[in-house]
């Protein structure tokens, strides 16, 4: 092993002048995040309006509604119904989601 003699009285800048830092994971990821540009998404006015309405549905609410609808679909399936329709109604300050078996048109 080589012996290094540390000189006394050097400033911080003098001590670090020959030091080269290697890239670490954190810096690499931060650089990627800084350089990543968010894609420009052009939305029609209709899409913007629909996106505004979706802000009221949090992930938790969407998940709860989805689970309940799946349970209802399974109940219809057990009863021999193939599919069901969904109607959303407002009752004062409440929102009611009603389901009914889908009417299958008889084949000719």
């Amino acid at each position: 092993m080589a012996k290094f003699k540390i000189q006394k009285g050097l400033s911080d800048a003098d001590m670090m002048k020959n030091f080269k830092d290697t890239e670490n994971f954190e810096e690499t990821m931060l650089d990627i995040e800084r350089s990543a540009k968010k894609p420009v998404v052009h939305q029609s006015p209709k899409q913007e309006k629909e996106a505004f309405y979706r802000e009221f549905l949090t992930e938790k609410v969407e998940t709860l509604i989805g689970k309940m609808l799946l349970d209802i679909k399974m109940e219809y399936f057990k009863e021999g119904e193939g599919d069901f329709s969904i109607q959303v109604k407002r009752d004062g300050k409440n929102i009611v989601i009603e389901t009914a078996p889908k009417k299958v048109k008889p084949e000719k």
Side-chain angles (χ1 to χ4, degrees):
M1 257 177 28
K3 283 190 171 183
F4 292 101
K5 187 165 185 166
I6 300 173
Q7 296 179 358
K8 306 257 186 220
L10 293 176
S11 68
D12 290 343
D14 291 335
M15 286 188 277
M16 299 298 288
K17 70 181 176 185
N18 291 327
F19 177 74
K20 295 200 186 222
D21 190 20
T22 58
E23 277 194 41
N24 58 24
F25 178 75
E26 290 84 6
E27 287 298 320
T28 304
M29 295 307 290
L30 286 172
D31 289 341
I32 290 171
E33 286 179 15
R34 286 184 202 121
S35 65
K37 294 181 180 178
K38 293 183 181 177
V40 177
V41 178
H42 298 285
Q43 293 183 337
S44 69
K46 183 179 177 183
Q47 288 173 327
E48 289 177 7
K49 190 175 181 180
E50 288 175 2
F52 172 73
Y53 294 141
R54 288 185 176 269
E55 288 182 18
F56 297 101
L57 295 174
T58 63
E59 284 185 43
K60 183 179 179 182
V61 171
E62 283 183 358
T63 302
L64 287 171
I65 292 171
K67 284 181 180 180
M68 289 179 192
L69 288 172
L70 179 62
D71 290 342
I72 291 169
K73 182 176 180 109
M74 294 307 295
E75 287 178 27
Y76 279 124
F77 182 74
K78 288 176 186 174
E79 294 170 1
E81 301 293 336
D83 207 358
F84 67 100
S85 63
I86 301 172
Q87 288 186 337
V88 181
K89 297 178 181 180
R90 180 177 169 186
D91 182 18
K93 292 184 180 179
N94 296 316
I95 298 171
V96 180
I97 299 176
E98 293 180 351
T99 63
K102 243 185 195 176
K103 304 280 185 187
V104 179
K105 295 181 182 178
E107 291 184 31
K108 293 181 182 180

